[in-house]
């Protein structure tokens, strides 16, 4: 089994920055990629960013390009999401996820087998 623990969420003002972390533990010897999704109240969980463990290829949703940066530390089995120029519409619970195998695109929820419990990000105007 794999456990994912997110941290770094909080309440910030529009224009501020925030960095989320997600540490993976357990059977982490097989990681194809990790991603971040978010879910606002009453909305579907949506893709934010993802990174392939080998090669470090990154993928972003259009609405975060140029503002968010995903990175990883292979040695620590940790993925980060640096968020800048935050907007009130970025308010959501942010979830990290782990895909142990490359069976599908990292842009889709169905490609991930493991999920964290979520960390809340609230951006005030």
């Amino acid at each position: 089994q794999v456990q994912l623990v997110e941290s770094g969420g909080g309440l910030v003002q529009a224009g501020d920055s925030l960095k989320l972390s997600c540490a993976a533990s357990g059977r982490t010897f097989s990681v194809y990629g990790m991603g971040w999704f978010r879910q606002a109240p009453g909305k579907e969980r949506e893709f934010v960013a993802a990174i392939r463990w080998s090669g470090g290829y990154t993928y972003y949703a259009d609405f975060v390009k140029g503002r968010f940066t995903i990175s990883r530390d292979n040695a620590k089995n940790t993925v980060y999401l640096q968020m800048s120029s935050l907007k009130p519409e970025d308010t959501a619970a942010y979830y990290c996820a782990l895909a142990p195998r490359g069976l599908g695109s990292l842009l889709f929820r169905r490609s991930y087998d493991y999920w964290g419990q979520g960390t809340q990000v609230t951006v005030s105007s």
Side-chain angles (χ1 to χ4, degrees), residues 13-44:
Q13 293 187 332
D16 284 352
S17 298
L18 205 59
K19 187 174 184 178
L20 306 182
S21 300
C22 175
S25 61
R27 296 187 61 180
T28 57
F29 54 84
S30 175
V31 181
Y32 174 73
M34 292 186 72
W36 288 95
F37 289 73
R38 70 185 188 185
Q39 187 168 17
K43 294 189 176 182
E44 293 283 324

Side-chain angles (χ1 to χ4, degrees), residues 13-112:
Q13 293 187 332
D16 284 352
S17 298
L18 205 59
K19 187 174 184 178
L20 306 182
S21 300
C22 175
S25 61
R27 296 187 61 180
T28 57
F29 54 84
S30 175
V31 181
Y32 174 73
M34 292 186 72
W36 288 95
F37 289 73
R38 70 185 188 185
Q39 187 168 17
K43 294 189 176 182
E44 293 283 324
R45 189 171 298 188
E46 62 182 356
F47 170 76
V48 175
I51 187 166
R52 284 180 57 180
W53 227 236
S54 176
Y57 300 102
T58 57
Y59 310 87
Y60 295 96
D62 287 342
F63 54 79
V64 302
K65 283 182 180 177
R67 299 191 299 125
F68 292 10
T69 302
I70 189 171
S71 61
R72 91 270 195 233
D73 185 328
N74 294 43
K76 295 182 179 180
N77 289 322
T78 299
V79 65
Y80 305 96
L81 186 67
Q82 177 67 53
M83 305 184 292
S84 60
S85 302
L86 283 162
K87 306 174 182 179
E89 51 263 44
D90 293 319
T91 295
Y94 283 71
Y95 299 87
C96 74
L98 186 150
R101 299 170 300 274
L103 298 180
S105 170
L106 291 176
L107 275 65
F108 300 117
R109 291 167 55 184
R110 61 176 178 266
S111 300
Y112 297 86

